[in-house]
Amino acid sequence: MADVAKEAGVSHQTVSRVLNDHPNVRGETRTRVLEAIDKLGYRRNLVARALVTKHSRTLGVVSFDTTLYGPASTVYGIERAARSAGYFVSIVSLKSIDRAGVRDALDYLADQAVDGIVVVAPQRSAAQALADVPLGVPTVAVEGGEAGGVSVVCVDQVAGGRLATEHLLSLGHETVWHVGGPSDWLEAEGRVSGWRAALEQAGREAPQPLAGDWSPRSGYEAGRSLASMRNVTAVFVANDQMALGVLRAFTEQGVRVPERVSVVGFDDIPESEFFSPPLTTIRQDFDAVGRHSIEVLVRQLQGSPQERERLVVPPRFVARASTARAAG
């Protein structure tokens, strides 16, 4: 900083004010300082700055299996929101979810002196591990169920399951079959609860759900089973990737969509509008989830400890060409 001040012909206090975007710096002076910074290749020592301010301007993120569209999109939304709020992000991605692994990730981020932590906790085991959050580190869980004593930001998965099922019932289908996600995922649990609640409210019997693992392959296997049942006319699939597998199986078995069977997915992945037929689905607003999670965390950082918050983001129904009125 002293070298920059000497090059620009100003005091080091003026350089500091420019670096911190202080308004009380003349435009000509600011330009001279920025040119000196560029010429000398000056970079602030963030470690030294953190020691002085007691803030690293870095947030930690713990995530799981970011190859899946939902977790990956959630992490991207969190990172974008953090940068907009003026924070860097340090990400720890875990391959398997167990209490020891989550605890190690939380301890690692705390040792890095992050200002706060966002944990993407879509599985029950991850949410339970939040009991091990280091004391004094503000923490927010995304899709974390009740998540112990930390704030939670989530999409209303139950409402999404209801939207999908009520749409299919409104088209005259007697009942709706369901291809669910893994039983230990909170999102899968919420979606099946919404599906079941909509059927019960309509006085319809809920068929036995078919189990999937979020992959197109598991959807394909479920689709082969459903194609062999002549009474199946409507299917709600717990994510778009499994719905792709269901559509492939139906095509191979000569089951026309939506003429014989209507299909609704969940997530609204970018490819879903290009499925054959384009997929009717439920959209999750991952940008809103990321934005709200950072807003909640920043509120904790800027003020005294508050009661834990729970912010719920509503899903949105997206109508395309994979659903139609029941035949006959």
Side-chain angles (χ1 to χ4, degrees), residues 11-272:
S11 67
H12 74 275
Q13 291 94 336
T14 298
V15 175
S16 179
R17 284 195 290 270
V18 170
L19 289 171
N20 290 298
D21 204 24
H22 197 283
N24 295 335
V25 180
R26 290 191 307 164
E28 178 186 344
T29 302
R30 185 183 302 276
T31 299
R32 200 159 69 245
V33 170
L34 292 174
E35 288 174 348
I37 288 172
D38 186 57
K39 178 179 178 181
L40 298 175
Y42 171 76
R43 295 290 183 272
R44 281 189 288 185
N45 187 326
L46 296 179
V47 175
R49 184 172 185 266
L51 289 172
V52 173
T53 64
K54 308 300 182 185
H55 295 290
S56 64
R57 303 298 297 179
T58 300
L59 302 177
V61 176
V62 180
S63 183
F64 312 94
D65 196 358
T66 50
T67 59
L68 289 172
Y69 178 76
S73 299
T74 300
V75 170
Y76 179 62
I78 291 167
E79 185 173 17
R80 287 210 314 176
R83 289 189 177 276
S84 296
Y87 288 88
F88 296 100
V89 172
S90 178
I91 299 175
V92 178
S93 182
L94 300 180
K95 209 50 169 158
S96 61
I97 300 178
D98 56 67
R99 192 157 189 161
V102 175
R103 184 171 58 245
D104 288 346
L106 293 171
D107 288 343
Y108 170 78
L109 291 170
D111 290 343
Q112 284 191 327
V114 296
D115 292 338
I117 298 174
V118 179
V119 182
V120 181
Q123 291 173 276
R124 187 165 298 283
S125 55
Q128 291 169 344
L130 291 172
D132 298 321
V133 169
L135 291 176
V137 180
T139 302
V140 173
V142 174
E143 300 294 348
E146 295 306 316
V150 305
S151 295
V152 173
V153 177
C154 61
V155 173
D156 192 337
Q157 306 293 340
V158 175
R162 291 188 68 108
L163 281 173
T165 308
E166 288 170 354
H167 167 69
L168 290 166
L169 292 175
S170 74
L171 294 173
H173 296 281
E174 285 298 314
T175 191
V176 178
W177 291 72
H178 182 53
V179 180
S183 60
D184 59 332
W185 281 67
L186 296 165
E187 293 162 315
E189 184 179 294
R191 292 168 201 177
V192 75
S193 295
W195 163 76
R196 198 180 300 278
L199 289 176
E200 288 178 359
Q201 185 175 350
R204 310 297 173 85
E205 183 177 350
Q208 180 66 33
L210 285 75
D213 62 9
W214 299 133
S215 71
R217 166 62 65 181
S218 68
Y220 175 79
E221 296 299 334
R224 285 175 59 89
S225 296
L226 292 167
S228 66
M229 305 177 193
R230 296 299 303 175
N231 61 333
V232 174
T233 67
V235 183
F236 163 42
V237 189
N239 79 337
D240 290 351
Q241 290 171 317
M242 290 194 299
L244 175 62
V246 169
L247 292 175
R248 169 68 182 271
F250 282 176
T251 298
E252 288 183 355
Q253 299 298 315
V255 176
R256 299 185 65 189
V257 176
E259 290 83 356
R260 180 181 148 192
V261 179
S262 289
V263 177
V264 176
F266 204 109
D267 279 341
D268 193 27
I269 64 175
E271 299 85 358
S272 62

